[in-house]
Amino acid sequence: MASILESSLAAKGSDTICDYTCSACQSLEAQFHCKECCKVFCDGCVKLHKQLYKTHPVFGRGQMNKWPLAKSTIDSLEQCGKHIDEKIKLFCDDHSQLCCHMCVARQHRSCSKVRLIEEINKYSTADAHELSSNIQKIQEELIKLKEKAEGNLLSLKMTYKRIREEIDTVRQKINNELDRLEKATMQQLDKLISSCTINMSKERDTCNSIQESMQYLSKMANEVCNKSSKLLFIALEKGQQQIKDSELFLKESKVTHEYGMKFAPSKEIEKYLFKLADLGRVGQLNNLISLQTKSDYCIKMFPDGSTCRIYSICELPTGETVVLNYGNNKVTLLDKKYQLLSNCEVLSFSYDMCLISSSEVVVTTNEKCNDNGLHGLQTISVRNDRLQKGWKLQLSHRCVGIAHHEGDLYVTSGKALYRYTLTGTLVKKLYEDTTRQDTVYKCAVNLMDDKIYVTNMGKHTLLTLTINGTVISTFSDIDLQDPRGVHVTPSGQVLVCGYASNTIIQVDSEGKKKLATLASQTDGVKCPRSVFYSFSTDSVLVGVDNNDIIIFKVT
């Protein structure tokens, strides 16, 4: 039957429309089918057919169920997806796959049950209806997803506009600061030029005065030369004195009035700007990090067997790494290849540190592990690949975790979170939990979202607070046992160490759910105390007990 029907296949996008061409004129689209003739006709040709065959039943497009299958439909269904020149003839029960003879010869030769499709009676009309129903459901879900995607695209454009404005604001602030620096420098130049101009004008006027005086004395001396010895004596004495004064003036002018000038640009500004890769970080807050296995990225800073407990890790804008080794009471500077550059001793109970400038970190220090003794902060700066101690601040409570955000320091005591200025002035106690020890252990600030994350060792939870200390969420998970270090990447991804669970997990920016367990004991992570994302190497650095630092490349 299909051989007597001519058909065409029109496709647009993912929609396939099977249609028929008039059997008589072979040019127009068929609108009717004659069951007796087994032919299809267009509007014009069907009139002639009805005149010739008045008794033949003719079915229009409203009765497509009485039409035969179009050749294009048959060809499309029978075409093998892997071998386009072959038709599907068989079915492999072992793999539940439709096959052509080529498929069987190449991939299903050893299969136990390959049958001709004509021999299979697996589905019914009811199954076809169920398939249509399921397709309709999927279509509805796809429409919803498409509408959501369109909404997200619109939101993405608005987000782009907002971030573009924020970038422009940052640029304008920098421009304003550069204008201020330029104005201050120009004021220096104007003041110097003004001072030099006054001195030079005064010098010029003095020269004119001396010249006029000497010319006048010379003229007077010539006039009285043969007329009065008394007046000649006076004129000559005045002239000699004038010459002495003039010579002294000339001598002093040569020594004290050198007006050479030179501009020495600020190397610090240029050096810092050249180190920067951009104006700031742009990223997806909940974009999932994927880590490679640690491979050979395990570092031994103390090969003599000394106990290493890496409590904190920081990275300088220039790519060097600073680590706090609790086991050896040292802050250590590593080069870009993680080779030792410098060490600096700190107190025995130093738990955490953070970056406060491009070349300076601040460390929490304590004489004892409890609330007794002296507690405070110690700055350490990097100068010419060497670590140097800077200013100290003494605080009234135990100092455990620390984070820096917009000129403020966020310091934990084990039971409370405080906000201080860089000069040590207490701004506010933001949060407190005195139910047990180390309920407020380490902290990190999300620079993109103004949130503070706090690890609670005692209750095995991660707290998320607003920048003012209001609790947003409390998170717990089987992979977050005895949480220690917490870190927020420049793109806003939240990483937390599970010390007892031997894990590094990623939590969403709201601190409400786990996005992934990034690394575990099977990856070599045992008792992790700190975690840090290195922007310069695109790696995640994990500080663990007795194994220094493990480095995972981000994929």
Side-chain angles (χ1 to χ4, degrees):
M1 181 181 294
S3 62
I4 64 173
L5 298 175
E6 297 297 334
S7 64
S8 62
L9 182 65
K12 181 179 181 181
S14 62
D15 300 323
T16 302
I17 304 172
C18 298
D19 218 343
Y20 303 83
T21 303
C22 179
S23 303
C25 66
Q26 297 291 318
S27 59
L28 300 177
E29 185 179 37
Q31 301 295 329
F32 300 92
H33 165 61
C34 176
K35 187 175 182 180
E36 294 293 333
C37 299
C38 294
K39 292 183 179 181
V40 291
F41 302 98
C42 63
D43 288 329
C45 295
V46 76
K47 295 178 181 178
L48 179 60
H49 174 270
K50 287 181 178 180
Q51 291 177 0
L52 295 174
Y53 305 99
K54 295 182 180 181
T55 60
H56 285 193
V58 176
F59 304 100
R61 284 190 173 266
Q63 299 171 295
M64 292 294 293
N65 60 322
K66 296 183 179 180
W67 286 42
L69 289 174
K71 184 176 183 300
S72 58
T73 301
I74 298 171
D75 291 344
S76 177
L77 286 173
E78 289 187 339
Q79 186 183 51
C80 178
K82 295 182 179 179
H83 310 97
I84 58 176
D85 295 330
E86 298 292 331
K87 291 186 176 182
I88 295 171
K89 298 290 185 181
L90 305 114
F91 183 80
C92 175
D93 285 305
D94 292 355
H95 296 92
S96 296
Q97 287 184 357
L98 296 166
C99 310
C100 68
H101 289 293
M102 293 290 290
C103 293
V104 173
R106 294 182 179 181
Q107 297 173 331
H108 302 275
R109 187 176 296 178
S110 60
C111 295
S112 61
K113 196 170 184 180
V114 178
R115 296 181 290 168
L116 289 170
I117 290 179
E118 286 82 355
E119 299 174 355
I120 303 173
N121 187 20
K122 187 176 180 180
Y123 297 115
S124 64
T125 303
D127 293 318
H129 292 321
E130 184 180 357
L131 176 66
S132 297
S133 177
N134 291 337
I135 289 175
Q136 180 62 30
K137 291 178 181 178
I138 295 295
Q139 290 277 33
E140 291 173 358
E141 291 298 320
L142 288 172
I143 290 172
K144 292 179 181 178
L145 184 60
K146 179 182 175 182
E147 291 174 350
K148 185 176 180 180
E150 290 174 349
N152 288 338
L153 285 172
L154 180 60
S155 176
L156 198 61
K157 290 181 180 179
M158 296 173 65
T159 300
Y160 173 84
K161 183 180 178 181
R162 175 178 58 80
I163 294 178
R164 173 74 258 187
E165 291 174 351
E166 291 174 357
I167 292 172
D168 289 341
T169 300
V170 172
R171 177 58 186 272
Q172 189 57 51
K173 287 181 179 178
I174 294 173
N175 288 345
N176 292 339
E177 288 303 304
L178 290 175
D179 289 342
R180 180 183 63 80
L181 295 176
E182 181 183 6
K183 183 179 179 180
T185 307
M186 287 302 299
Q187 285 176 347
Q188 294 178 29
L189 177 61
D190 292 342
K191 184 177 180 180
L192 183 59
I193 291 295
S194 177
S195 175
C196 290
T197 299
I198 292 172
N199 290 334
M200 288 182 178
S201 298
K202 184 178 179 181
E203 190 174 68
R204 180 198 60 198
D205 294 341
T206 302
C207 288
N208 288 334
S209 176
I210 292 174
Q211 276 186 309
E212 291 176 1
S213 178
M214 292 186 71
Q215 287 176 354
Y216 177 76
L217 285 172
S218 177
K219 179 182 178 182
M220 291 298 102
N222 289 329
E223 287 184 3
V224 301
C225 180
N226 297 319
K227 297 180 179 179
S228 173
S229 57
K230 177 184 176 182
L231 294 177
L232 177 62
F233 176 80
I234 294 173
L236 291 177
E237 283 297 323
K238 284 187 175 182
Q240 292 299 327
Q241 187 61 44
Q242 186 71 67
I243 290 173
K244 288 179 181 180
D245 292 342
S246 299
E247 288 176 345
L248 180 61
F249 170 74
L250 290 171
K251 184 179 180 180
E252 290 177 349
S253 296
K254 289 179 180 179
V255 174
T256 61
H257 298 289
E258 295 292 337
Y259 296 103
M261 296 183 190
K262 183 180 179 180
F263 172 63
S266 173
K267 297 295 183 182
E268 291 300 316
I269 295 176
E270 291 184 7
K271 189 184 296 183
Y272 182 73
L273 289 177
F274 291 158
K275 290 176 184 177
L276 298 179
D278 44 46
L279 288 177
R281 300 261 63 83
V282 179
Q284 294 174 267
L285 290 176
N286 295 322
N287 189 30
L288 188 62
I289 290 178
S290 179
L291 304 182
Q292 292 180 350
T293 55
K294 67 182 174 66
S295 187
D296 296 327
Y297 297 113
C298 185
I299 300 169
K300 288 288 185 182
M301 290 190 303
F302 297 94
D304 59 357
S306 300
T307 300
C308 296
R309 296 177 182 175
I310 307 302
Y311 270 44
S312 185
I313 305 172
C314 292
E315 184 180 64
L316 303 179
T318 49
E320 291 82 11
T321 303
V322 184
V323 299
L324 173 61
N325 187 342
Y326 183 89
N328 286 273
N329 308 324
K330 285 181 173 62
V331 172
T332 301
L333 177 66
L334 305 174
D335 65 14
K336 295 177 183 179
K337 294 183 179 179
Y338 304 104
Q339 300 300 310
L340 178 64
L341 289 175
S342 177
N343 278 319
C344 181
E345 290 190 2
V346 290
L347 294 178
S348 298
F349 300 100
S350 298
Y351 296 99
D352 202 5
M353 68 177 176
C354 68
L355 201 68
I356 58 173
S357 74
S358 61
S359 59
E360 192 174 26
V361 298
V362 61
V363 184
T364 58
T365 62
N366 305 273
E367 281 190 340
K368 297 180 180 180
C369 64
N370 53 29
D371 291 331
N372 298 324
L374 297 176
H375 314 285
L377 307 176
Q378 170 73 66
T379 60
I380 298 176
S381 59
V382 181
R383 296 286 185 273
N384 299 320
D385 292 337
R386 308 298 298 175
L387 295 175
Q388 300 176 359
K389 289 185 180 180
W391 51 262
K392 292 181 179 180
L393 287 177
Q394 185 174 332
L395 302 183
S396 60
H397 55 78
R398 180 173 173 236
C399 299
V400 182
I402 189 167
H404 176 242
H405 178 54
E406 294 185 351
D408 285 330
L409 292 175
Y410 296 82
V411 183
T412 68
S413 67
K415 296 181 179 179
L417 172 66
Y418 302 87
R419 182 194 296 168
Y420 286 93
T421 66
L422 282 173
T423 58
T425 301
L426 177 62
V427 178
K428 182 182 179 183
K429 179 192 287 187
L430 297 174
Y431 174 79
E432 188 173 31
D433 183 351
T434 59
T435 56
R436 62 182 70 180
Q437 188 66 13
D438 291 329
T439 53
V440 186
Y441 189 63
K442 295 287 188 73
C443 65
V445 179
N446 190 330
L447 302 180
M448 298 184 69
D449 210 22
D450 285 343
K451 291 185 178 66
I452 307 173
Y453 305 95
V454 177
T455 54
N456 185 328
M457 288 171 52
K459 298 179 181 178
H460 309 289
T461 57
L462 175 73
L463 296 176
T464 302
L465 315 175
T466 67
I467 206 71
N468 293 319
T470 303
V471 177
I472 299 173
S473 64
T474 302
F475 169 78
S476 62
D477 189 85
I478 191 172
D479 283 342
L480 190 63
Q481 299 301 305
D482 193 9
R484 301 292 177 96
V486 57
H487 173 67
V488 183
T489 73
S491 298
Q493 294 134 322
V494 185
L495 311 180
V496 195
C497 300
Y499 181 82
S501 52
N502 302 310
T503 52
I504 302 295
I505 70 170
Q506 181 178 348
V507 179
D508 74 312
S509 62
E510 296 296 321
K512 295 181 178 179
K513 64 179 180 180
K514 179 179 71 175
L515 297 180
T517 299
L518 302 180
S520 62
Q521 191 167 357
T522 58
D523 302 306
V525 174
K526 188 175 181 180
C527 301
R529 292 185 179 273
S530 57
V531 61
F532 186 86
Y533 170 76
S534 167
F535 178 74
S536 64
T537 61
D538 197 21
S539 304
V540 170
L541 284 62
V542 181
V544 296
D545 281 355
N546 302 321
N547 203 25
D548 288 10
I549 303 174
I550 302 174
I551 304 176
F552 295 91
K553 289 294 291 182
V554 175
T555 57

